[in-house]
Amino acid sequence: MLLYSYQIFIYGVIKMFKNLLSKMSDSYLPKPCDYENETIQEETLLKPDNFNDIPFEMVNIFDGLNVKDNNGRKFEKFLKNLFYISGYKQELTRYNNDGGIDLYVSKGNEKYIIQAKKRHLRSQKLISVKEMRDFIGAPIDEEYTDYKKVFITNHFFSRQAAETAKKCDVQLIDKIGLFRLIAQMQPQLLAKGYLKFSMGELGFCEECGTPITYGQDNEKDNKRNNNGKSKYYYMCINSRTGGDCSIKKIYEEEWNKKHNIV
């Protein structure tokens, strides 16, 4: 008798969950679309919307983050330009004998003395406590005494350096914090920087700045290469979607020659 009651209870619970799932599927899951009467048209790309809010020339400031070179001055200029396009006044110190300070930036009540250190991507050398002490002990002109000290690197800090910085009220921005800073200050710039990186060799149109896409002439086109196959071409999204860019198709042979691709 007890077993029979238990089975009824389990059956009731299962039935309740089935009803609940049925209601959820009716309420929340999308209904299947009916394509029976739909006319399929040729697919086209959407035209870029507000694509040039930030000129692509500004994306070039990311060259200062290039992991293939270890040029510290480029990193300093990258930070200077980042603060510049974000509305800060900035002053870059001389590269050699800078006294441990690379950059002064200010905007209203935000005032910062910045030390910038670049490391190669594969460097095992963390920012050391000695480098931190050199920055903390750097002589400061009287006009900058109310500026907050910030140490920025494209690498990471040692534990001892971080502890020393905390004691002396120095703000630390490591590789992760640096990209958070860019995302906070210039999200569109970061998005375009990643877009540029993701485009690879295709790149962007020299005239209008929109991304280059890759295409192929169809079989009926009379433009063929030497072996009789369809020709491949490059063109920007602006041209492809009927924009006003004057640069149309650039065929593969011309593209390869222009970019020294054998």
Side-chain angles (χ1 to χ4, degrees):
M1 185 66 179
L2 183 62
L3 180 61
Y4 179 70
S5 300
Y6 179 73
Q7 288 174 336
I8 292 175
F9 173 75
I10 295 297
Y11 175 77
V13 171
I14 293 173
K15 188 175 181 180
M16 181 181 70
F17 273 105
K18 281 184 176 180
N19 291 336
L20 180 61
L21 289 173
S22 176
K23 289 180 180 179
M24 287 178 65
S25 62
D26 290 341
S27 304
Y28 300 104
L29 296 181
K31 298 289 190 298
C33 297
D34 180 16
Y35 295 108
E36 190 173 336
N37 299 316
E38 182 179 336
T39 302
I40 299 177
Q41 298 178 346
E42 182 183 356
E43 292 184 76
T44 57
L45 290 167
L46 288 174
K47 292 185 180 180
D49 182 29
N50 297 327
F51 194 85
N52 291 313
D53 285 348
I54 291 183
F56 260 101
E57 300 80 62
M58 286 191 178
V59 180
N60 292 333
I61 73 169
F62 282 103
D63 290 345
L65 290 178
N66 192 333
V67 298
K68 293 182 179 180
D69 71 58
N70 201 31
N71 190 318
R73 192 58 167 179
K74 284 185 180 180
F75 184 53
E76 294 171 12
K77 289 181 178 179
F78 159 74
L79 293 173
K80 177 183 183 293
N81 290 330
L82 177 64
F83 281 101
Y84 167 72
I85 63 178
S86 301
Y88 287 79
K89 294 179 181 179
Q90 13 48 60
E91 179 188 343
L92 193 64
T93 63
R94 58 185 180 181
Y95 188 46
N96 295 316
N97 301 317
D98 57 14
I101 296 170
D102 297 316
L103 187 63
Y104 298 97
V105 298
S106 63
K107 184 169 71 171
N109 294 326
E110 297 181 61
K111 300 177 180 180
Y112 305 110
I113 294 174
I114 295 174
Q115 168 71 309
K117 285 288 183 184
K118 187 173 186 183
R119 292 278 196 271
H120 190 278
L121 178 66
R122 295 182 179 179
S123 174
Q124 298 181 37
K125 187 179 178 183
L126 302 174
I127 301 300
S128 67
V129 66
K130 180 184 182 303
E131 290 171 301
M132 187 61 62
R133 286 173 179 165
D134 288 344
F135 177 46
I136 292 169
I140 301 171
D141 292 341
E142 188 175 345
E143 60 182 305
Y144 300 117
T145 52
D146 59 338
Y147 281 49
K148 181 176 177 59
K149 286 191 173 182
V150 183
F151 201 126
I152 304 178
T153 181
N154 70 328
H155 205 51
F156 298 95
F157 298 94
S158 71
R159 180 176 57 83
Q160 293 86 347
E163 290 174 352
T164 301
K166 187 176 181 180
K167 292 176 183 176
C168 299
D169 195 28
V170 175
Q171 183 179 347
L172 303 184
I173 298 178
D174 62 9
K175 190 180 189 72
I176 298 171
L178 177 58
F179 280 90
R180 286 177 179 164
L181 179 68
I182 300 168
Q184 178 184 341
M185 293 172 66
Q186 290 294 330
Q188 291 187 57
L189 182 66
L190 184 61
K192 277 202 171 180
Y194 186 76
L195 174 61
K196 182 180 180 182
F197 168 78
S198 69
M199 288 298 296
E201 67 174 18
L202 289 178
F204 302 88
C205 178
E206 294 177 359
E207 180 176 305
C208 68
T210 58
I212 297 292
T213 62
Y214 194 57
Q216 179 183 12
D217 285 328
N218 62 40
E219 294 298 325
K220 295 180 181 179
D221 198 305
N222 59 6
K223 293 180 179 178
R224 304 297 176 112
N225 58 21
N226 294 333
N227 57 15
K229 294 182 180 180
S230 297
K231 293 186 72 174
Y232 293 91
Y233 62 82
Y234 299 84
M235 67 187 303
C236 67
I237 288 179
N238 199 10
S239 290
R240 198 163 186 172
T241 55
D244 57 1
C245 184
S246 64
I247 300 177
K248 305 300 180 184
K249 292 181 180 179
I250 304 175
Y251 282 89
E252 193 168 32
E253 297 90 339
E254 181 185 349
W255 175 275
N256 290 344
K257 185 178 180 181
K258 184 177 181 180
H259 293 84
N260 298 317
I261 299 173
V262 180

